[in-house]
Amino acid sequence: MKYIEKDKHIPQPDYNLMWTAIEKEAYKRQVNLQPSQKTPRYRMKVVPMSIVFSCFLLVAIPVFAGVTINWDKIGGRSVTNALNNGIGQQYDLKASSSGVTMSLNGVVTDGEKMKMLISLDPKTDLTQYIGFATEKNTITNESGAKEKVYDYLEYDPESQKLIGIYETPDTLKDDKKDYKFEAQNLIFYRNREIPLKVSHQAGDTIVTGVTQYPTIHIESVRQASNKTTIRYKVAASPSDMDQGTPYLVVHTGGQEKEAIPTLMPSEGSDLYIEQVFNMTENDWKDANLHLSYTEEAKRISGTWTFDFTADGEKASEAIYTKNLHTSPEFQEKTGVTLEQLVVTPLNIQILIDEQDSLKQGNVHYKTPQLVIGDQTITGVWTLKGDPGNYQHLFHFESPEWYKNWSDVPMKLILKDAVIEKRDTSKNWITLNAPKKEKQFTKLNVDGFEIQFKYYTEGENLMVESTSNSPGFKKVSQTTLRINGKEVVPEITPKGMVSTGFNLDSYKDIPLDETIELNPGIYRYSDPSRNAEIKL
């Protein structure tokens, strides 16, 4: 049994999963800010062109020459905004290798990151591929210090080129330095999907016939609320590192069903994956599984090198900061203390401190928005810094660049509030003696009815939690109390997609003792906690 005494002993979130979710959400919301494209390959919302009030003076300089490429579609709006306003450096540098020309179009820094605008012209049909990357990217400063550079490339049908944002830590700051950027080997990827004509129940091992992922072992299959949750391990070499992003596709009743794969923590090189399909138990039994994955389709070996000089003085001078005031009413309602507004050439950050008391209820906002002038932009909650010393913040991409940010009216809107609580001072119910057959009980907590099923599975006590109450999100982790001591379940990884229920497993429980159950950590929506404040 695992006993707990205080909130601080509750298992902490898996930050690798958190960062994965944050990065996906950040990119998705950046995409939603961009103009729509003519091809269905890019699904983006249409937003009106920005209107600049005459009272907000924009810096007038020659427009960035690389504007013939629409960098917005890959999240490059802030970079081009900065370059159009004389912040950072514009280039027209080209390097050719193996018949492919790479261009370095611009570089902008903001004290934390350096972002480079890159385009490539491979002189080949790019529409037959689904992904692209340069295999190894490094940047070296004049002192010889070398840093990795991370790339994001995408096909631009308008220019028929690959365009990308390459990112590395900002080692320039407010200095002027010479750099050498080097990219090696251009890789083209394509999707593959193969049928798996075998049984697919828990415990089955499927031989795929694919060298990259030779076997799939199904760990578990569970059904609840017309959802089927499958967890499986995909055999992979240590060098794969999930580069092929394998996942299962289900074919049933003449339809193809996909579900977002969540990569779970796992020992060794095998990939441990969870998927939640919207399908019943009978549909699952009749389904045919396919394995979908990405493979390298083509490789162009080459090296592209650029020598350039970057000056961070203007970027450093352009950073605007403002200390923020939080009223007691706003703090009590949101659990958020506003600390500082930071406007950089690449983004807008609102640094915050958040109340951390599960007993009172932590407030999480799914949709933070920032009103700048007459424009409303949606951002994300995120973290920066090192583990153990994270800074919480709301992150936004600026739609415009103003010469004097102190004159720009701003308002922060916090929407879609979700409360996360754990209160073991109340909300207990005594269980009947657990047995192999499922037994049922329920609790009313904060106006929500939560249903529980409990039963033994081997030597373990299993507890399932679910709720059909409107606004209730989920139970994340139940708690037991035995002879006055609280017991938490075994720590098992959980996916990012809701399964419709929570399943906890308790080991070494004395079944002949009095066992009490508490919902533990649970989440629910609370629109009354939505708020807005002028900055």
Side-chain angles (χ1 to χ4, degrees), residues 47-283:
V47 296
M49 292 185 64
S50 58
I51 301 174
V52 182
F53 288 107
S54 59
C55 56
F56 302 142
L57 178 62
L58 291 169
V59 181
I61 69 164
V63 176
F64 171 42
V67 79
T68 52
I69 294 177
N70 184 6
W71 301 99
D72 286 6
K73 67 177 60 179
I74 56 170
R77 175 185 294 184
S78 59
V79 182
T80 55
N81 277 345
L83 292 171
N84 285 337
N85 287 279
I87 301 169
Q89 280 73 50
Q90 301 180 28
Y91 304 103
D92 187 19
L93 302 178
K94 299 183 184 298
S96 295
S97 182
S98 301
V100 176
T101 299
M102 177 183 285
S103 301
L104 174 61
N105 300 93
V107 173
V108 176
T109 59
D110 70 350
E112 295 181 357
K113 298 176 181 178
M114 172 185 285
K115 290 190 176 183
M116 298 180 282
L117 297 181
I118 298 288
S119 58
L120 295 100
D121 189 0
K123 301 296 184 184
T124 188
D125 180 12
L126 300 173
T127 60
Q128 58 185 308
Y129 306 106
I130 57 92
F132 314 87
T134 42
E135 187 173 41
K136 183 180 180 181
N137 310 298
T138 58
I139 190 167
T140 307
N141 66 19
E142 55 195 19
S143 301
K146 184 176 293 188
E147 294 278 356
K148 286 185 178 180
V149 179
Y150 299 93
D151 67 310
Y152 175 70
L153 282 173
E154 189 168 304
Y155 170 58
D156 174 27
E158 294 178 359
S159 66
Q160 297 186 357
K161 295 181 180 180
L162 295 178
I163 62 175
I165 294 180
Y166 283 53
E167 183 179 302
T168 190
D170 179 10
T171 59
L172 181 63
K173 305 301 181 182
D174 60 354
D175 205 351
K176 184 176 182 179
K177 294 181 181 179
D178 294 328
Y179 287 95
K180 174 176 285 187
F181 167 61
E182 184 175 277
Q184 294 181 0
N185 305 334
L186 178 59
I187 305 174
F188 303 75
Y189 296 97
R190 67 184 173 196
N191 269 344
R192 289 290 304 275
E193 185 176 311
I194 60 168
L196 304 172
K197 297 181 179 179
V198 291
S199 173
H200 46 268
Q201 302 306 313
D204 291 341
T205 296
I206 303 171
V207 178
T208 67
V210 176
T211 303
Q212 193 172 353
Y213 304 111
T215 62
I216 299 173
H217 179 72
I218 299 180
E219 295 276 320
S220 65
V221 179
R222 296 187 180 273
Q223 279 93 12
S225 303
N226 292 326
K227 292 185 178 183
T228 297
T229 302
I230 177 173
R231 290 187 173 191
Y232 54 96
K233 286 190 175 180
V234 180
S237 66
S239 61
D240 181 80
M241 299 178 66
D242 190 37
Q243 291 181 6
T245 58
Y247 63 94
L248 295 178
V249 178
V250 173
H251 291 253
T252 180
Q255 294 182 332
E256 180 179 289
K257 292 181 178 288
E258 293 192 0
I260 298 173
T262 299
L263 187 63
M264 315 285 277
S266 177
E267 295 181 359
S269 61
D270 286 355
L271 305 175
Y272 188 25
I273 299 170
E274 177 183 277
Q275 286 180 264
V276 182
F277 291 93
N278 290 318
M279 57 192 308
T280 65
E281 184 174 0
N282 288 334
D283 288 339

